Structures are given as structure tokens and as C-alpha cells.
Amino acid sequence: MKSIKFDELSFRRKSSIWLISMLAATLFIVLNLFEVFSFLNPRLLKGLMLASYLIVFSHSFRPFFYRNHVQWNKRGITIRVNSFLGTNFGFSDVKTIDYSEDVYTVYTYNGRSPKIINLKGIEQGSKERLLEVLRAHVG
């Protein structure tokens, strides 16, 4: 059985470290475009640039490091379980959600085909956590 990696996108204490490091790395990259740090040793400058790009890269591509990944905030959710692209929707667009053992079906107000979340092979604790997240924000 596989587990799901859950990631809430909010400004909590845990995510503030990522926020500060992302801002610092981005600021360093932008300032280096204007050669503000030209007085530094070129090898040190290249190392700092590499570290800055790696910080931005690792944070931006974090969902793709995990096979099963769920990200959400107060407005919407992105669910990537047993698929590469996954599905995303806003909580305000959800009409109803049908919960069964291995498939969650999300019906939206826009009338398009329902979004189907296949949970085959996922451990029961992760299914319950996903159900809690959906019920907390949709209802």
C-alpha cells in the first residue's frame, strides 16, 4: 500500500522557513542580474547562484518528487494520486462528492464531466485524511 504526501499551502510556522528561503534566493537572483555582487569571488558567486536556483527548483517541483501528492489551501485543492497530471478544483465549485472505497467522484456546478479520483492501492489512513480535508473545506 502506498501513502499520500499531504501539503497545506498556508503561512504556518513550518512553511515560513520555506517562504524566507525562497524570498532570499529570489532576491539574490534578481540582484545578481544587476551585478550588485560583482565584488565577490567569481567561484563563490557561482556557488551562491547555484544554491539559490536549487532552492527555487526544489520548492517549485516538490509535488513531482512524490508519486501521490495532495496540495490545498482555503480556495482549492490539487490531487495527484495514481496519475501524473492529477486533478484540481476550487472548493466553491464543488456541488457534491461521492465517497466510495477506492474512488471519490467530484461533481461541480459547471456541468462538465465529474472528476474521478482513483484511490486503488492507497493505504486506508491516507484515504481517511483526504476525506477529512475534502469534508472540512467543501461542506
Side-chain angles (χ1 to χ4, degrees):
M1 292 287 184
K2 300 173 190 171
S3 64
I4 298 175
K5 167 76 170 127
F6 291 92
D7 187 20
E8 183 177 3
L9 301 173
S10 65
F11 294 107
R12 297 170 302 178
R13 170 168 257 172
K14 182 177 152 185
S15 66
S16 65
I17 295 170
W18 272 108
L19 179 66
I20 292 170
S21 64
M22 285 287 294
L23 288 175
T26 306
L27 181 67
F28 183 78
I29 291 169
V30 169
L31 289 176
N32 195 38
L33 288 174
F34 299 108
E35 297 182 359
V36 173
F37 302 108
S38 61
F39 60 89
L40 290 176
N41 183 356
R43 287 185 60 159
L44 176 66
L45 190 60
K46 286 181 184 179
L48 289 173
M49 283 300 292
L50 176 66
S52 298
Y53 279 116
L54 286 176
I55 288 171
V56 172
F57 175 79
S58 67
H59 184 63
S60 300
F61 286 95
R62 193 170 27 168
F64 296 105
F65 294 147
Y66 302 100
R67 171 86 172 121
N68 302 312
H69 192 267
V70 174
Q71 282 185 328
W72 76 95
N73 60 12
K74 64 182 180 180
R75 297 186 67 196
I77 190 166
T78 300
I79 302 172
R80 222 175 56 96
V81 177
N82 292 330
S83 68
F84 182 72
L85 296 177
T87 183
N88 59 351
F89 51 87
F91 292 125
S92 62
D93 294 336
V94 174
K95 184 190 268 184
T96 60
I97 300 177
D98 290 338
Y99 307 103
S100 66
E101 183 63 29
D102 286 337
V103 175
Y104 292 172
T105 307
V106 179
Y107 297 98
T108 57
Y109 286 114
N110 62 12
R112 294 184 186 155
S113 62
K115 298 176 188 274
I116 298 172
I117 303 162
N118 181 10
L119 298 173
K120 186 176 180 182
I122 303 298
E123 66 183 23
Q124 189 62 31
S126 294
K127 290 179 188 179
E128 291 171 2
R129 175 87 193 276
L130 179 59
L131 184 64
E132 288 174 14
V133 169
L134 289 173
R135 284 186 178 164
H137 294 292
V138 170

